[in-house]
Amino acid sequence: MTDDLPPEAWAAALASLPAMGPARLRAALDTWAPEEAWALVAAGAGCSRPAVALACRPDAAGVAALWKVAARRVVPAEVWERHLRAGVAVVLRGSSGYPSELAVDAEAPAAVFMRGDPAVLEGRRAGIVGTRRCTRYGRDVAYELGWDLAAAGVRVVSGLALGIDGAAHRGALAAGAAPPVAVVGSGLDVVYPPAHRSLWEEVAGAGLLMSEAPMGARPEPWRFPVRNRVIAALAEVVVVVESAEKGGSRHTVEAAMARDRPVMAVPGSVRSPVSSYPNGLLADGCHPVRDALDVLVALGLSSAPSAPADLRPAPGPDEAPVLEALDWEPATFEDLCERSGRTPGQVSVALARLQAGGWVVERAGWWERIT
């Protein structure tokens, strides 16, 4: 019976409508109670108040008509049951369970969808963001920062994307200490990217998985820049590991700066396109991140965690000169022969042993050192 549905059910149904982005949902629920908003939307009057019409520019009449048609196919009771069965909590702004970190934000979500333990947000929090197309260097740094910060009791906040996000969350999980927090750009039943299905489950089990999108929402491109403001609002400091100049990290950084959150960046090679943005941030005056201690200092915490022991076998006398020749910049096989003074056969054997030992990796003909 629809008469028995709580306000959260009507809000979830509203969020399920096409073209119902966060700003429009916030305008509607700031104007009406959720059940009243649903009734007006279903009647074609969803944009009948100025605040909602303003959020639906430039074609408020067209949006209202779209909502009316779509509402005929959405059954609020079924939407609500779907969330209950999946263990996804729907929390409205102004309710007791709403994250206090978001409640004061000027662009606070009208509703959040959560799996896991919301209480993990009560701890200290650092956002780690970056490109999906990261280098091995960036992936290793993100993992180490995630591990070290979690070991120091800091919640790692990120977006569960490929590349830097996933590496930071894997590091935080491996530490087995402070729980991770993920803010995603789809419904909590729509895993994106699909390759991170197990990682989603691990984050939800150990920490908190959060979205503005209801169950079934697809990972449409517009959701990710909008999602990034939530990461910025939750984080007390934002760290950019690797990102191109026009990468999605820029949205998070701009949102963080608008909220007076400190922004920090990991230095990278001036030759690397994915270090161009963090290096630019450093040139503009952002603080560098050399290790977790820099982030802990920014958070006002006084101690750094112990790094995990390096269990890799030490390079032997035949491998060490080749590893030293590689330094910290990618190099070709020919470069390593020239720098090390070794024959191609010797370098080939040394690289094979170094790769097996976890010291180097080969990508498209270039060799990179693993930290």
Side-chain angles (χ1 to χ4, degrees):
M1 293 292 291
T2 57
D3 292 342
D4 298 329
L5 294 179
E8 291 80 4
W10 301 104
L14 286 166
S16 300
L17 297 175
M20 182 63 82
R24 292 173 178 177
L25 183 62
R26 185 167 57 248
L29 295 184
D30 282 349
T31 303
W32 302 295
E35 186 172 0
E36 183 183 7
W38 177 263
L40 290 168
V41 162
C47 295
S48 59
R49 295 289 292 272
V52 185
L54 183 64
C56 294
R57 291 184 304 174
D59 185 17
V63 172
L66 174 66
W67 286 346
K68 179 181 180 180
V69 172
R72 296 171 186 164
R73 301 190 298 268
V74 177
V75 180
E78 293 179 358
V79 173
W80 181 236
E81 180 61 26
R82 185 177 182 183
H83 286 79
L84 291 179
R85 286 199 306 268
V88 173
V90 183
V91 186
L92 302 183
R93 186 173 52 146
S95 68
S96 60
Y98 191 86
S100 59
E101 298 76 12
L102 295 180
V104 296
D105 193 78
E107 297 180 289
V112 289
F113 300 82
M114 297 187 288
R115 279 185 60 199
D117 182 8
V120 306
L121 291 173
E122 297 171 4
R124 307 304 300 274
R125 302 171 306 282
I128 299 179
V129 299
T131 181
R132 292 169 172 81
R133 297 181 177 91
C134 63
T135 66
R136 182 58 183 258
Y137 161 75
R139 184 180 297 109
D140 288 348
V141 170
Y143 182 95
E144 290 166 9
L145 286 173
W147 196 101
D148 290 344
L149 289 172
V154 176
R155 280 74 170 142
V156 171
V157 184
S158 198
L160 265 183
L162 293 172
I164 298 300
D165 291 17
H169 275 135
R170 286 192 173 94
L173 286 164
V181 177
V183 185
V184 301
S186 60
L188 297 185
D189 61 331
V190 182
V191 177
Y192 183 81
H196 277 183
R197 180 172 298 278
S198 62
L199 187 58
W200 277 49
E201 294 302 321
E202 288 183 66
V203 170
L208 178 65
L209 195 59
M210 177 186 298
S211 178
E212 289 184 271
M215 298 275 287
R218 308 304 303 173
E220 300 166 273
W222 64 266
R223 293 189 183 275
F224 295 95
V226 173
R227 175 277 308 269
N228 289 349
R229 85 187 193 288
V230 179
I231 293 176
L234 289 175
E236 297 175 80
V237 59
V238 170
V239 178
V240 183
V241 179
E242 284 186 328
S243 176
E245 287 288 347
K246 296 183 179 180
S249 299
R250 181 179 291 274
H251 298 114
T252 312
V253 167
E254 290 173 351
M257 290 181 172
R259 290 160 173 79
D260 293 324
R261 302 290 197 272
V263 174
M264 308 179 75
V266 173
S269 170
V270 295
R271 296 189 178 96
S272 174
V274 293
S275 286
S276 60
Y277 185 53
N279 285 346
L281 290 173
L282 295 173
D284 290 339
C286 290
H287 288 291
V289 173
R290 297 162 297 177
D291 53 34
L293 181 58
D294 289 326
V295 183
L296 294 173
V297 169
L299 289 168
L301 302 175
S302 58
S303 61
S306 299
D310 192 340
L311 302 179
R312 295 177 294 186
D318 294 329
E319 295 87 54
V322 176
L323 184 61
E324 183 177 353
L326 181 55
D327 199 19
W328 294 105
E329 292 288 340
T332 65
F333 180 83
E334 292 75 15
D335 291 334
L336 295 176
C337 292
E338 181 179 350
R339 294 177 191 173
S340 67
R342 304 300 174 110
T343 67
Q346 291 172 323
V347 172
S348 179
V349 171
L351 287 174
R353 291 174 178 169
L354 289 169
Q355 188 172 27
W359 290 99
V360 300
V361 65
E362 188 269 336
R363 295 179 183 277
W366 291 82
W367 289 90
E368 293 182 56
R369 189 167 179 167
I370 300 173
T371 57

